[in-house]
Amino acid sequence: MTETTGLPTLMELLGKSATWLEARGITNARRETEWIFAETLGLSRINLYTRHDMPIESADVTRLRALVSRRGKREPLAYVLGNQPFRQITLTVTPAVLVPRPETEELVGLVLTGLPPGARVLDLGTGSGAIACALKHERADLQVEATDASADALAVARANAERLGLAIAFHHGHLATHLDGGWHRIVANLPYIGENQRHRCDPELAFEPALALYSGSDGLNLITELVADTPRLLAPGGQLWLEHADDHAGAITGLATAANLVAQSHRDGAGKDRFTEIHAP
């Protein structure tokens, strides 16, 4: 029989870890601790309670404490775990890519609405490949391509697509300046935080790539460039869909008007103007 005297039980260690994270400002400390424990120990979250009195071996205690410590330093949970659920798929994420957000899941849903069969879709600034992979996973008929300015991010995106068995063409480059037009949908979750907003950001953002977060003083540099190039890129009847800061809708409408395009903003689940659809008149 294995000697377990002195070893902490699963529930003891989980409770202490959750309390420790809560003291360090983690809002959903208990839930995040459960995710860390379940992933590390190969258990379901239900198992955490049905096997609450299970002793935790010293090696596992060391592993769990290291991961909880990383989260306590405000490293994003997705980096700690190495993955992030996104709509119907799970993505590998590393510090080379932005952590996919729930709002971007909503953007994918908007883009899928009314999307014609076999449409050509371009995901600009793909990062982990979240948008491109979700679209192709849910609509296998789509012709999906994706770009990113970061070679490291593209490596993560390609690996995600290959692991999920999704045929997506990836391109390394700045926005769509190196690509031809004819796109039925362009989707872009580009950097949209202004440099002057850095001091107001959550501590977790310090771990994410600045290239994927900040774009000029007001956060609109890349969006401005893309909207100006949109008439060249869209097929007849095509649309550009943007995710942006909730105070950007008016400015983006102005950019669209200047490019002889029509813009319509859409609210996210929290009621904020988070998305804009742009198309020809």
Side-chain angles (χ1 to χ4, degrees):
M1 180 179 293
T2 302
E3 178 59 52
T4 61
T5 303
L7 294 177
T9 67
L10 173 57
M11 195 52 56
E12 288 171 346
L13 191 60
L14 193 153
K16 290 180 180 178
S17 298
T19 299
W20 189 83
L21 285 182
E22 186 175 10
R24 280 151 184 80
I26 306 301
T27 303
N28 298 310
R30 181 72 181 200
R31 185 176 64 182
E32 294 198 13
T33 305
E34 290 177 357
W35 281 336
I36 292 172
F37 274 54
E39 184 97 2
T40 304
L41 298 174
L43 301 172
S44 69
R45 291 177 68 188
I46 294 177
N47 289 155
L48 297 179
Y49 292 90
T50 59
R51 302 176 64 179
H52 63 91
D53 57 351
M54 178 180 76
I56 305 300
E57 298 293 336
S58 297
D60 286 332
V61 171
T62 299
R63 291 167 60 208
L64 289 164
R65 283 177 174 166
L67 295 173
V68 171
S69 177
R70 287 171 60 187
R71 184 64 184 112
K73 295 174 183 176
R74 303 303 290 269
E75 182 176 354
L77 180 64
Y79 292 164
V80 174
L81 297 178
N83 62 71
Q84 175 73 17
F86 187 83
R87 289 182 68 90
Q88 300 174 15
I89 58 179
T90 297
L91 299 159
T92 296
V93 294
T94 76
V97 301
L98 197 71
V99 175
R101 266 57 170 189
E103 294 84 359
T104 309
E105 296 185 65
E106 296 180 47
L107 175 61
V108 171
L110 289 170
V111 172
L112 285 170
T113 302
L115 194 56
R120 296 184 69 221
V121 182
L122 178 62
D123 173 20
L124 290 178
T126 193
S128 64
I131 292 174
C133 288
L135 288 170
K136 187 66 176 179
H137 181 266
E138 296 180 42
R139 284 282 303 276
D141 62 291
L142 299 177
Q143 302 175 57
V144 181
E145 301 187 31
T147 75
D148 205 286
S150 166
D152 291 338
L154 276 180
V156 175
R158 283 194 181 99
N160 275 320
E162 290 173 5
R163 179 176 51 81
L164 293 165
L166 302 172
I168 298 170
F170 292 96
H171 308 278
H172 182 215
H174 178 72
L175 296 178
T177 55
H178 54 305
L179 300 177
D180 293 330
W183 302 97
H184 300 106
R185 296 291 186 277
I186 299 173
V187 193
N189 179 19
L190 298 172
Y192 57 71
I193 302 176
E195 290 284 355
N196 56 10
Q197 300 295 312
R198 283 192 186 229
H199 66 286
R200 297 173 55 186
C201 294
D202 293 335
E204 282 80 358
L205 291 191
F207 291 87
E208 299 190 69
L211 183 67
L213 292 169
Y214 306 103
S215 183
S217 60
D218 59 1
L220 285 167
N221 279 16
L222 288 176
I223 289 175
T224 299
E225 185 176 346
L226 173 59
V227 172
D229 196 30
T230 294
R232 177 185 71 85
L233 296 170
L234 290 180
Q239 300 171 356
L240 165 66
W241 282 88
L242 296 170
E243 179 177 337
H244 51 75
D246 58 10
D247 59 351
H248 279 167
I252 292 173
T253 295
L255 293 172
T257 300
N260 296 315
L261 298 168
V262 176
Q264 179 181 355
S265 64
H266 297 260
R267 293 183 176 180
D268 63 16
K272 298 180 178 180
D273 289 324
R274 180 69 60 190
F275 316 111
T276 295
E277 169 198 351
I278 296 175
H279 56 86

